[in-house]
Amino acid sequence: MRALTPLLLLLPLAAQAGNLRYAEDLAPAIVHPLYGSSMAEARANELAFEGLYTDDVELATTPALALSTELAADKLSAVVTLRSDVAWHDGQAFTAADVVFTIKALQDRATASTESGRVAWIKEAVALDNTHVKLTFVRPEGRPEDKLYFKILPQHAFGALPLKRTDAFRTHPVGTGPWALSQFNEDNSITFSKWKSWRNPVGIDQITLREVADKNYQAKLVLYESLEALVRVLPRDLAILKNNRKVDLYPYQTNSWWYLGYNNKRPALANPAVRRALSELVDVDSLLAPVGTGARITGPFVPSSPYYNHDVPMLAPDADDAETALTAAGYAQEGDHWTQGGKPVVLKAVAHQALESVQEVAINLQSQLESAGIKLEVQFLDDAAWKQRVWHDRDYDLMLSQWTFDRNEDISEQFHSTGTRNFVGYSNPAVDALLDKARDATDPFARKAALREVHKLVAADQPMLFLWTLDSYAAMAVKVRNVVVHPFYFFTFAPQWSMK
Amino acid sequence: MRLVLRALALRALAFLTTTAGAVLLVSVCFALVPGDAIDALPNGPELRAQLEGEWGLVGGPAERVLGTFSRAGRLDFGHSLTVSPGAPVAELMGSAAARSARLLAPAALLSLLAGFAGAALAGAGAELPPSPWRPRLVRALASLSALPAVLAALATVNGVNALAWPLIESARLTRPVWFALPETDHPVRSFLAVIVLTGASGSFLWGVRRAGDTLADLAARPFVGAERARGGPIAPLLARHLVVPAARMGAAHLPLLLSALVVVERGFGMPGAGSLFWESCGRRDWPVTVGLAVVAAVTVTTARFVADALAVVFDPRERAALA
Amino acid sequence: MRFALLLFGLLAAGALLPYAPQADVHPAAADLPASAAHLLGTDHLGRDVLARLLAGSRAFLVPGAGAALLAGLGGVGLGTLAGWYGGVVEGLVRGGLGAITAVPPLVLALLVMMAVGATPTGLALGVGLAALPGLAEVVADRLAELRRAEFVVAARALGLGDLRILAWHLLWVNTRTLVGREALAIVGQALVLEVTLSYLGRFGVQEPAPSWGNMIDHALRTGSVNPWTWAAPAGAVMLAVWAANPAGGRR
């Protein structure tokens, strides 16, 4: 009987297989973890590929393809012990050579991977044998396993380095994940089938990604039972889905937050007092109300983050204080308008068109600033035009956008004076030093302390007005059971899901 | 015969130069659009140094246009950069165009038939007994066709689903295969898409007006008057002489249909050349965009060439004009 | 005539309304139903729907007029060259125009707007360029038909110069109605393209400036419970396109 018990436990799962269909605005044209260019692709990669480590349901680091990591005393190297019972989807065995190959591919500039930053901290990777990899680091690392999430590729599926986007792998991916890609369909949908040799039971036979370009239509398709899952429910659809007995909603908190960035290099906005005054003219709660629910933030982390400094007070709207600050900075009020040098103050704002609800926020913001006497001209830009204007040209006064971080929440690219994504042009030597300290810290408490201090300083400098993090909800048909949603990758815990 | 061949040769030359002109126009416009394919990648600016040369994005707009043009001239459309990285553009275009043709061909034919039928019913040129309701019906349908295709597609998809769902939920109707995001192409969905493509955005209106002008012109011709005086049937006579004008009308209508195709494919969730074009513009995938522009230009100019060829072959006035 | 009436009605009513279509954002008054204070209710940001509807007519009328002017001037000019001179000139002009018509209008308008910007100018330029060949061909066909007409021969015999015959007798007397009809249709095309581009990818007139296209897009995206937020602009679109395009041919 004891021998049969594991089999009996499997029986309900076998009866509860099925096809889980979910929607994306734009179906990935390739499934390749080194060349992902959208969250849709990241989610698809999560189905078919694995990293050395992953998250458990408490979002703590847990082994996946690795078994353990032994850190050297000087913290400049570590030996990762790998699982020996893993096979690729084509039946070949997973070995240390695959790990080394992946790291080298990411490090090779000619590969031009969108994920190359994930291994910038690794100096060298060497396979000691089939199940052991020695990693040498650029600087001491306290917990290297927290950064070993990047997906591993099969060496045998490629020729020599560098890898290319045009490699056949892009449409014939081979991973170790719980689902293998079966086919790209004519209607742009993608079918993933359960990988029978995966080490744990997988509750769903097939997962199908359907392309539904119209976001307004996606929730209806869940109600019509044409889809079983929706990754993110629009605020407008929450009430309808909440009241439907065939659909369950699952809240999750992403590491993403909205901000109104000030171009710190513009003369008008180089003065922190002016930036603070502008922030005080904005009623952030009023901006949030039409958009959805969420939590206000005071700095560059979400409130649930260990790095969030809860001692930093929320910046409340204060028109009087703003008026004093603007007057002191050389601005004058003429009638209903603020002027400088006799000319009315006109600020140009750009907003990322693809950001859901950005129009409502931008229009509302414009209205608030106009009431306060500042004219705001808003332009909505698509992705490429945004990068041209903001990344290349830095041609804007204000920008409305969102940052999304994975589990590492590394904000140095955004706030370090040398950061490649520091589009607002922020510079504070004290913040630079703290960010360097956080990066080099091997003690998690030291890192936490440094980043909380960064939060405090950045909040005081106001290079941007920190707005909010939105509540996110996934929608699942009730027949999908045991659902736990990963806030970033969505499907990390999908093997545990089952369908009635 | 010599005249016919000469005329056809001239029209073939026109075909080539028109296609080339269209490609040049699209290339110039695309070169002026801000941002490029590298900007469409999440960390594109960081990869610019590595990708610029490989993707042919070095140089200013003029160099890029010339480069695009010379490649298109050699029928080398290259590979997709961002839409389907690495996929040969010719392959992408071929499969997309084949899917779109399943909507476009019936829509083009239906547009012609509907236009002439509508015009005839409205009283243009036909020898039908007078009736007050026929012109009103045609005007009502023409007014309905004023609805932009995007709204017509939305209304159709949502309306049909909203009507069917309560019946499905209450088990009074077995869930149809075509209902709400079907797994495969279904004739019902394709039919609805063709109707929207044919009728919306003023398409039917345009067709009725143009067909009406054509029928009125024909009816005013001396040979028709002569046949009428002889007491013979006019309709067959008109029909015989409609081949060339109908072909010309079809060719003129094609660009409008291609425009509406982008909308209809997205609205109905039926990927094809139209939705591929939209995606390639957003992602700045210039090989795919230019490739699709070539396909569109070739489609339109081929239709025109066929119409002109028919005119030269069947219309003695065209041959006389050449002489 | 009916388009003129529609136009007059929109402009007059717009002048009488108490609400500014852009500035009045009142999140607290979002999605209100029709009432005495707001005849068509409010949208998701608390803005008066009727005010935006009436002001939104400018979003296609102004660029539409610009497009009609561009297409009209260019089309009449090029059509006159082709239709009056014929031969090689006609071949060259028609060839050039053919290159433009080979690109679907939506594609051309989209590319022009992406290059110039999603502004009324961009829309006018895109629609004007797309419509120019059609109008030019209409003028060219007409002039080709008329240039050998008896009255033209008679006018020459009476000593009238070519310029006078062309400008007055052919273009003004015999072609202006045709050109006027096409120009009106172009305004309708501008509206259809604006609505399409707004909904597909927000390439139409940009918020907060109201346009019927962005009103429909906004209503559908925000799921406003007030049905007038989408029904009113959709109805207005149909009415305007119908008014700009008379059905039926000549009898």
Side-chain angles (χ1 to χ4, degrees), chain B residues 48-66:
Chain B
R48 183 164 288 278
Q50 288 123 279
L51 292 175
E52 218 167 22
E54 192 185 319
W55 286 8
L57 295 173
V58 286
E63 281 130 310
R64 289 193 215 172
V65 168
L66 282 170

Side-chain angles (χ1 to χ4, degrees), chain A residues 334-361:
Chain A
E334 285 176 24
D336 289 337
H337 302 286
W338 282 97
T339 59
Q340 192 187 31
K343 290 185 198 160
V345 173
V346 178
L347 296 174
K348 292 188 187 332
V350 292
H352 205 311
Q353 203 180 64
L355 200 52
E356 195 57 44
S357 308
V358 75
Q359 274 199 352
E360 285 71 53
V361 176

Side-chain angles (χ1 to χ4, degrees), chain B residues 18 21-22 29-30 34 122 142-143 146-148 150 154 201 205 209 213 216-217 255 258-259 263 266 277-278 281 284 297 304, chain C residues 98-99 101-102 104-107 110-111 114 181-182 192 196 199-201 216 220 237-238 241-242 245-251:
Chain B
T18 301
C29 287
F30 206 69
S143 304
L147 190 64
V150 62
L154 274 177
S201 284
L205 225 158
R209 205 177 79 194
D213 289 348
D217 278 340
L258 287 169
S259 281
V263 169
R266 279 179 66 87
F277 171 79
W278 186 263
C281 278
R284 306 295 195 271
R304 275 198 218 137
Chain C
T101 48
L106 176 66
V107 168
L110 171 65
L111 287 174
M114 284 173 80
R181 196 173 75 164
E182 292 297 317
V192 170
T196 305
Y199 185 74
L200 282 183
I216 296 170
L220 294 174
V237 165
M238 279 193 66
V241 175
W242 169 77
N245 287 278
R250 299 193 296 273
R251 296 284 185 272

Side-chain angles (χ1 to χ4, degrees), chain B:
Chain B
M1 188 60 184
R2 212 180 51 200
L3 275 174
V4 169
L5 285 173
R6 182 171 155 244
L8 289 175
L10 280 173
R11 273 154 181 79
L13 183 63
F15 169 91
L16 287 169
T17 50
T18 301
T19 307
V23 172
L24 186 62
L25 180 61
V26 168
S27 305
V28 167
C29 287
F30 206 69
L32 296 173
V33 168
D36 58 24
I38 297 173
D39 292 321
L41 300 174
N43 63 338
E46 290 152 15
L47 300 174
R48 183 164 288 278
Q50 288 123 279
L51 292 175
E52 218 167 22
E54 192 185 319
W55 286 8
L57 295 173
V58 286
E63 281 130 310
R64 289 193 215 172
V65 168
L66 282 170
T68 306
F69 205 63
S70 70
R71 269 188 298 275
R74 295 194 304 269
L75 295 181
D76 169 17
F77 299 110
H79 292 82
S80 168
L81 302 178
T82 48
V83 165
S84 182
V89 171
E91 196 179 287
L92 269 181
M93 278 183 339
S95 54
R99 283 197 295 271
S100 293
R102 283 183 241 158
L103 294 182
L104 203 59
L109 203 58
L110 196 58
S111 298
L112 278 179
L113 291 171
F116 280 103
L121 281 175
E127 297 288 304
L128 294 169
S131 160
W133 64 266
R134 267 190 262 112
R136 280 183 206 152
L137 174 66
V138 173
R139 272 198 290 274
L141 286 172
S143 304
L144 261 181
S145 100
L147 190 64
V150 62
L151 298 181
L154 274 177
T156 306
V157 168
N158 287 290
V160 167
N161 288 337
L163 283 172
W165 180 241
L167 299 172
I168 296 167
E169 247 194 330
S170 59
R172 275 179 285 169
L173 176 69
T174 313
R175 188 185 176 104
V177 171
W178 49 259
F179 178 74
L181 200 69
E183 313 253 318
T184 53
D185 262 347
H186 194 276
V188 169
R189 188 168 71 150
S190 302
F191 172 73
L192 291 173
V194 167
I195 295 296
V196 170
L197 195 52
T198 306
S201 284
S203 199
F204 177 63
L205 225 158
W206 181 94
V208 164
R209 205 177 79 194
R210 183 81 179 237
D213 289 348
T214 305
L215 287 174
D217 278 340
L218 262 181
R221 293 270 169 85
F223 65 85
V224 174
E227 187 66 19
R228 205 178 269 126
R230 276 198 291 273
I234 303 300
L237 186 64
L238 288 176
R240 271 204 309 275
H241 285 83
L242 275 178
V243 172
V244 171
R248 284 219 159 108
M249 193 171 131
H253 198 207
L254 212 41
L256 298 174
L257 287 178
L258 287 169
S259 281
L261 190 68
V262 177
V263 169
V264 168
E265 283 180 352
R266 279 179 66 87
F268 281 83
M270 302 171 77
S275 50
L276 182 61
F277 171 79
W278 186 263
E279 200 189 320
S280 71
C281 278
R283 292 197 183 194
R284 306 295 195 271
D285 195 332
W286 58 266
V288 174
T289 307
V290 169
L292 288 170
V294 169
V295 169
V298 165
T299 307
V300 171
T301 47
T302 302
R304 275 198 218 137
F305 176 73
V306 167
D308 286 347
L310 284 173
V312 164
V313 169
F314 291 111
D315 191 338
R317 291 172 302 166
E318 292 280 331
R319 291 197 292 276
L322 284 172

